[in-house]
Amino acid sequence: MAKVPFTKLNLTKNQEIQVLKWNEQDIEVKQYLPINDKLNLIASVINAAHDSNKNYANPVQTDVFTSLEIIFAYTNINFTEKQKEDPAKLYDLLKGSGLYDQVVELIPVKEYLEVCEGIDRSTDAIYAYQNSIFGILDTISTDYSDLQLDATSIQ
C-alpha cells in the first residue's frame, strides 16, 4: 500500500458557524470545538461540580455546569463576571427561556455527545481512582502530611 503524505491531504479545521435568531440578536453557534477547548470545558465542569467535600461530583451540579460551559464555549454570547457569579440564576434563565435547547439543537449531535461523554468518562475515572488503592494511599499520604507531626511543636 502506497503512503500518502499528510501535507497533501490539505486538511482544514471545521470553522462553520450556525446562526440562531433570538430577540433580534444573531447568536453564533460553533459546529466544532477544538480539542483544547473541549478539554478546558470538561475540566471546568468537573472542577465546578465537585461537592464541597470534594469526594464526588454532584450529578445535578454536573448538569448545570455542563449546560453553562457549553453556552460559554459554543456561542458568541458575552457574560460579565458578575453574571457568572450566580450559576443557578444563569442556568435558570438559559434553560427556562428555551435558549439553551435551541443552541444545543444547532450543535451537531456527534459533537455534543463527545463533550458529554468526555465529562462522564472523566468523572468516572476520577471516582475510580479515588476509590482505588492508589487513590486511598494518596489521600492517606496527604492527610498524614497535613498533620505536621513535629515533636517540637507538640511539646
Side-chain angles (χ1 to χ4, degrees), residues 8-51:
K8 293 208 177 200
L9 295 176
N10 294 324
L11 300 176
T12 58
K13 183 174 63 174
N14 180 355
Q15 296 182 339
E16 184 183 345
I17 291 176
Q18 295 286 328
V19 177
L20 169 66
K21 292 276 190 194
W22 185 270
N23 290 338
E24 299 178 24
Q25 300 296 316
D26 288 341
I27 298 172
E28 296 177 357
V29 181
K30 295 177 184 176
Q31 299 301 287
Y32 174 78
L33 196 64
I35 190 63
N36 283 333
D37 294 344
K38 283 183 184 133
L39 291 172
N40 290 334
L41 184 157
I42 291 167
S44 293
V45 170
I46 290 172
N47 289 331
H50 266 71
D51 213 27

Side-chain angles (χ1 to χ4, degrees), residues 1-150:
M1 173 184 333
K3 299 265 185 182
V4 177
F6 183 74
T7 54
K8 293 208 177 200
L9 295 176
N10 294 324
L11 300 176
T12 58
K13 183 174 63 174
N14 180 355
Q15 296 182 339
E16 184 183 345
I17 291 176
Q18 295 286 328
V19 177
L20 169 66
K21 292 276 190 194
W22 185 270
N23 290 338
E24 299 178 24
Q25 300 296 316
D26 288 341
I27 298 172
E28 296 177 357
V29 181
K30 295 177 184 176
Q31 299 301 287
Y32 174 78
L33 196 64
I35 190 63
N36 283 333
D37 294 344
K38 283 183 184 133
L39 291 172
N40 290 334
L41 184 157
I42 291 167
S44 293
V45 170
I46 290 172
N47 289 331
H50 266 71
D51 213 27
S52 58
N53 65 10
K54 300 290 184 201
N55 289 333
Y56 73 99
N58 180 316
V60 175
Q61 286 180 318
T62 300
D63 289 344
V64 167
F65 289 108
T66 297
S67 299
L68 292 176
E69 291 295 332
I70 284 173
I71 293 293
F72 299 158
Y74 279 89
T75 70
N76 64 335
I77 301 172
N78 188 30
F79 296 93
T80 65
E81 289 305 314
K82 180 83 172 153
Q83 290 167 326
K84 289 181 177 182
E85 286 176 5
D86 191 352
K89 181 179 180 182
L90 200 52
Y91 174 83
D92 287 339
L93 286 170
L94 291 167
K95 286 289 246 189
S97 66
L99 177 60
Y100 176 79
D101 291 333
Q102 288 195 25
V103 166
V104 169
E105 283 180 22
L106 292 180
I107 298 172
V109 173
K110 183 177 179 186
E111 180 78 7
Y112 178 78
L113 291 176
E114 188 175 310
V115 169
C116 293
E117 288 172 4
I119 292 166
D120 290 342
R121 288 179 26 220
S122 297
T123 301
D124 290 346
I126 290 168
Y127 186 72
Y129 173 77
Q130 287 175 336
N131 291 302
S132 73
I133 188 68
F134 299 111
I136 293 168
L137 290 174
D138 236 1
T139 302
I140 290 170
S141 171
T142 303
D143 289 348
Y144 180 74
S145 67
D146 287 346
L147 289 177
Q148 297 177 348
L149 294 175
D150 181 12

